Amino acid sequence: MTMERAGQDERAEQAVLDALAAVLGAVPPAGTGWTDGLWDLYEVYEESRSGRGEPPELTAEQSARFASQWRRQELSGEVRGLVGELRERAERGRVVAPAAAAGLAVRLVRAGLASHEAVNLLSGFGAPHGERGLLELARDREISEGDRLWARERLFALRRDGYRARGLLAADGEEPLPPAAARALPTGIGGALALPVDAVRARAALEALLPSAPLSSPEPPPEWTAGWDELDEGDEYRPDWLEVRLLVRELMPTARKVTQERMAEAERECVLLGLDGGEGEFAALWATRLAAWLAGEIFDALSRDPDPPALAPWSMDLAERYVRRGMAAEDAHAFLRRTEDKVPYSRLVLLRLTTETSHASAFLNRPEQ
């Protein structure tokens, strides 16, 4: 690139950065206290501003609020175009001042202007400037939850190769957390349990993984049923443990690699990413949670055994104990249901569990005397 061309690039980029700074200086505040009713009324206001309807009757406060929101939308449109220019320059490797551009992108997200595009710009910058900006946003509780989750998702994507590289390393010299019988289970592609599972090894692992007493809260937690970026029925975004699970499984892809050292690394990374690792001691919680998922895999594998009567009664007894102790209870229940047609003892265990559950429910719901 000639000196003249480099100078032109620098001036063009600076013009974009100046324009973004000017927008940030002119943008009105987002305002608080928006309700569903106000948003519905604002839609009528938008229609009238666009010449597609009559203007609604507004109070002075509503008129000022809506004018401010309209102006914010206009400025967001300008910002998208400007950010798009920077994104194109980044893709061509021609950003002259990435630190300044990344700093403005962070400010845009905090101002609520074209946040999605600004986060994508930071992701495109990569390390160090984009990554540093995403780290700021991932821990910023003042921005919207949706923006924070998106920033953390793009940050995770930037750091994922590092997690995977760590996960590929042998765990020699590290302190293992799962029992030896669980670590001895063969695994397939992606760390999943290799099928078919050997019944002797499966039994030894289930016996070793079983907690000595009922857990204070069932493990694993119920699976998330809404979309990854969608709200659930209670208008809540996905819980943090889903992302912690992704991190933990990258660092510890098999039971052999679930170690005290890697748990400490995962905990530090959760703090860095702004993730809530859960209540209590991180390593203990996640070792239990991983054990529950592994036990669930074992019960699922056993349910596919072509000769389920050969698994009686030990596997059914273990399934019952898992249900009672609150670990992998759904998978243990599913194992009993899948085998009950061929194994009468599975039906007996299911009946016993169902009867006790019904009695407990009746006791808890009894009318007051």
Side-chain angles (χ1 to χ4, degrees), residues 136-155:
E136 285 185 43
L137 295 173
R139 298 191 298 265
D140 190 339
R141 298 285 170 174
E142 298 299 318
I143 64 177
S144 76
E145 188 173 6
D147 289 343
R148 184 160 48 82
L149 289 178
W150 182 238
R152 196 161 66 207
E153 186 171 330
R154 301 318 305 153
L155 177 61

Side-chain angles (χ1 to χ4, degrees), residues 12-22 82 86 97 100-102 104:
E13 181 179 315
Q14 189 59 52
V16 173
L17 298 180
D18 290 343
L20 286 173
L82 294 168
L86 287 176
L104 283 169

Side-chain angles (χ1 to χ4, degrees), residues 248-268:
V248 165
R249 285 182 168 173
E250 293 287 5
L251 293 173
M252 296 168 267
T254 67
R256 297 183 189 89
K257 295 181 179 181
V258 177
T259 66
Q260 188 67 47
E261 290 82 357
R262 296 183 194 218
M263 281 293 181
E265 292 174 33
E267 184 174 15
R268 289 193 296 270

Side-chain angles (χ1 to χ4, degrees), residues 81-137:
L82 294 168
V83 169
E85 289 184 43
L86 287 176
R87 187 89 186 269
E88 289 177 7
R89 297 178 68 85
E91 289 171 353
R92 298 197 304 268
R94 289 169 59 183
V95 175
V96 180
L104 283 169
V106 170
R107 290 177 61 193
L108 289 172
V109 177
R110 287 176 170 154
L113 290 176
S115 299
H116 197 89
E117 291 82 357
V119 167
N120 288 344
L121 178 62
L122 289 168
S123 177
F125 284 156
H129 305 294
E131 184 177 37
R132 189 178 300 133
L134 291 172
L135 280 167
E136 285 185 43
L137 295 173

Side-chain angles (χ1 to χ4, degrees), residues 324-345:
R324 293 183 186 281
R325 297 186 190 180
M327 177 182 271
E330 286 191 17
D331 296 291
H333 252 299
F335 165 73
L336 292 168
R337 289 194 299 270
R338 289 173 184 168
T339 56
E340 65 175 323
D341 288 342
K342 295 182 179 179
V343 184
Y345 190 55

Side-chain angles (χ1 to χ4, degrees), residues 219-261:
E219 290 293 348
E223 281 298 330
W224 179 249
T225 56
W228 182 254
D229 292 315
E230 296 174 2
L231 298 172
D232 67 2
E233 295 176 352
D235 288 336
E236 297 287 338
Y237 282 103
R238 63 181 181 268
D240 281 10
W241 70 260
L242 289 172
E243 293 171 78
V244 180
R245 176 169 64 178
L246 290 177
L247 169 64
V248 165
R249 285 182 168 173
E250 293 287 5
L251 293 173
M252 296 168 267
T254 67
R256 297 183 189 89
K257 295 181 179 181
V258 177
T259 66
Q260 188 67 47
E261 290 82 357

